Amino acid sequence: MRRNALGKFFSRAQVSRLEPTIRDLAQRLCEKILVVGEGAPFDLTTAYSLFTTDVISGYCLGENLGLIAQKSWQPNFREPLYAQLRLVYLFRFIPFLKHAGVAMAMITKRLSADMETLFNALIIDMPNYVKKAQADRDIGLDNSTTVFGSLLESDLPPREKSLQRMTEEGFSLFAAGTETVSWALTVITYHLLTQPALLSKLTADVRQAADDSVEPGQLPPWAALEKRPYLRAVIHEGLRLSYGLASRTSRIATGEDLLYRGQWTPRGNSASKKVELVIPRGYAVGMSAVITHHDESVFPDSHAFMPERWLDEKGQHRKTLDRALLAFSKGSRSCVGINLAYCELYLLLALLTVRVFPRMQLYETDEKDVAYDHDFFNPFPVWNSKGVRAVIVG
């Protein structure tokens, strides 16, 4: 029901109308990185998250949070998001705690900076955003052109428009709209800066797109950028190694038993044997994008960043691999914001390639800072990672 109410805002046509705003924010982030990052190391994911949060907040509220416009990288929405993600397995394995999440934040907010940040986001900031959307609607300032305004104007039951329910929806939209794209861009940036040959190929592809544009020298629209084969390959490979959600997502067959047929190689054996199992109806079956994205039969040398795997012998997109890319899930439960995410990825990565990457260097960062180590719903690197850091030089 809520998905239907939200779906129209994230259609390709609707996102295309938002493209000028996304492009402007991408330009502003590039300018900020070049100025604030000069000679001063900064966390790439945090920087990219300012862009993604400003995009989704502006779309939800009608006015973005102005994170790019602030002088530094703080404050940002990534910190309260991570504070919540670190609690996700408590909520998963001790389910009743999720109903006490707000109370827990109130009680424990003084125990850590993470909990205080989470408290502020859940109890103060997000409810205030919802209240502002309600107030704007009441005085006629919102004509249902924002996500929050549309939900408030919709025919959803009153309980679905309560302050608590709208606050939860807002936090979910901000979280989904902030982290997936910013982490994918971080993974892409790391691999491009450590493999200059790949960056050279991407730069040539993006510059060709600018040369072929209606306005030569200017980057073309999102629809044209999608047709650039190497840019598309880099983005798909970045999504493959950033995973989207890293935890197992479950599906339940409620009306039938499932019959599984496959191959299994017992530990210590070289030969596989056929397996046939019946999974009774009502049982959850879970898998993760990490498992699929490292299937060596589909993605040989799966831990390597190889955009070329997405190109066929004619240098065009290899569509047969798309079915194995689960960064946005698949089917009826796929990410509602997939079009917005792709628009952000194409526009910002193209701009970074021609404006920022020529002057960017990694700072005290290696592959352990981007490689999957564990998950709190989203993928995380090793515990002692200081993040993927970079500095602007020259």
Side-chain angles (χ1 to χ4, degrees):
M1 180 170 56
R2 281 187 91 77
R3 184 182 176 90
N4 291 336
L6 287 171
K8 68 175 184 178
F9 271 93
F10 295 97
S11 68
R12 186 179 179 92
Q14 196 72 14
V15 171
S16 293
R17 296 188 184 99
L18 189 66
E19 183 177 341
T21 299
I22 298 173
R23 184 182 292 264
D24 178 64
L25 289 171
Q27 291 277 19
R28 293 186 184 191
L29 178 67
C30 290
E31 293 164 6
K32 182 184 181 79
I33 290 174
L34 291 172
V35 173
V36 181
E38 186 168 14
F42 62 96
D43 183 271
L44 279 174
T45 315
T46 297
Y48 294 152
S49 77
L50 303 189
F51 164 74
T52 52
T53 303
D54 269 358
V55 170
I56 191 63
S57 62
Y59 204 27
C60 286
L61 308 173
E63 181 179 357
N64 69 58
L65 301 186
L67 300 184
I68 296 175
Q70 64 193 6
K71 292 183 178 180
S72 69
W73 309 111
Q74 308 293 336
N76 57 73
F77 186 75
R78 185 176 176 232
E79 291 180 2
L81 171 60
Y82 274 37
Q84 186 181 50
L85 290 177
R86 291 186 182 99
L87 302 175
V88 71
Y89 282 113
L90 286 176
F91 294 160
R92 181 173 182 179
F93 294 108
I94 313 177
F96 75 87
L97 288 181
K98 66 183 178 183
H99 302 296
V102 172
M104 287 175 63
M106 294 176 66
I107 294 169
T108 63
K109 68 172 185 171
R110 297 187 182 277
L111 297 182
S112 72
D114 282 344
M115 288 309 303
E116 184 172 6
T117 301
L118 177 58
F119 172 84
N120 289 336
L122 290 175
I123 309 301
I124 301 174
D125 298 336
M126 192 58 68
N128 284 341
Y129 301 150
V130 176
K131 290 175 183 177
K132 181 179 183 302
Q134 179 71 65
D136 288 347
R137 170 180 172 272
D138 291 343
I139 62 177
L141 291 181
D142 190 295
N143 59 358
S144 299
T145 59
T146 67
V147 176
F148 279 13
S150 180
L151 286 176
L152 291 169
E153 288 283 353
S154 72
D155 57 2
L156 287 170
R159 68 179 182 277
E160 292 292 314
K161 303 182 199 177
S162 68
L163 178 61
Q164 179 179 348
R165 187 68 181 89
M166 291 287 289
T167 296
E168 293 169 352
E169 192 68 56
F171 197 92
S172 295
L173 285 170
F174 276 40
T178 292
E179 183 62 15
T180 300
V181 170
S182 58
W183 181 242
L185 285 166
T186 299
V187 171
I188 291 170
T189 300
Y190 170 82
H191 287 290
L192 290 175
L193 294 182
T194 55
Q195 301 181 68
L198 301 186
L199 180 55
S200 294
K201 290 182 182 179
L202 178 61
T203 302
D205 198 42
V206 173
R207 291 196 183 281
Q208 185 63 54
D211 291 342
D212 294 343
S213 176
V214 175
E215 300 179 40
Q218 299 295 317
L219 287 177
W222 166 36
L225 289 173
E226 281 185 311
K227 297 176 182 177
R228 302 309 308 177
Y230 203 76
L231 174 60
R232 187 173 187 175
V234 168
I235 287 174
H236 276 63
E237 187 71 342
L239 288 169
R240 186 182 71 82
L241 288 179
S242 60
Y243 310 111
L245 300 181
S247 64
R248 291 174 180 266
T249 54
S250 298
R251 302 291 186 269
I252 299 175
T254 57
E256 61 179 331
D257 296 340
L258 299 179
L259 178 61
Y260 170 81
R261 291 191 182 100
Q263 299 284 330
W264 175 58
T265 304
R267 181 175 296 178
N269 290 7
S270 58
S272 62
K273 64 179 185 178
K274 292 182 179 180
V275 175
E276 186 172 300
L277 298 169
V278 174
I279 303 172
R281 68 193 68 190
Y283 277 73
V285 179
M287 62 170 291
S288 73
V290 178
I291 295 172
T292 302
H293 291 184
H294 290 296
D295 183 345
E296 292 289 331
S297 67
V298 180
F299 301 111
D301 198 7
S302 66
H303 291 275
F305 186 85
M306 296 167 48
E308 287 76 11
R309 73 171 83 244
W310 295 93
L311 301 174
D312 62 20
E313 60 278 359
K314 296 181 180 179
Q316 297 304 307
H317 183 66
R318 194 185 298 275
K319 295 181 180 179
T320 55
L321 289 183
D322 287 347
R323 64 192 300 272
L325 184 66
L326 301 182
F328 297 107
S329 193
K330 296 285 187 183
S332 62
R333 299 300 298 275
S334 63
C335 175
V336 71
I338 185 172
N339 291 310
L340 180 61
Y342 272 121
C343 185
E344 292 174 327
L345 284 165
Y346 277 96
L347 291 176
L348 183 52
L349 180 57
L351 285 167
L352 289 168
T353 299
V354 296
R355 292 195 58 191
V356 176
F357 291 164
R359 294 182 53 196
M360 181 181 282
Q361 291 181 2
L362 293 174
Y363 177 82
E364 295 183 1
T365 297
D366 58 36
E367 192 160 358
K368 75 176 186 304
D369 297 306
V370 293
Y372 170 81
D373 179 75
H374 61 283
D375 76 82
F376 288 112
F377 201 54
N378 284 17
F380 281 76
V382 293
W383 282 100
N384 62 352
S385 173
K386 295 181 180 179
V388 179
R389 292 175 293 168
V391 64
I392 300 300
V393 299

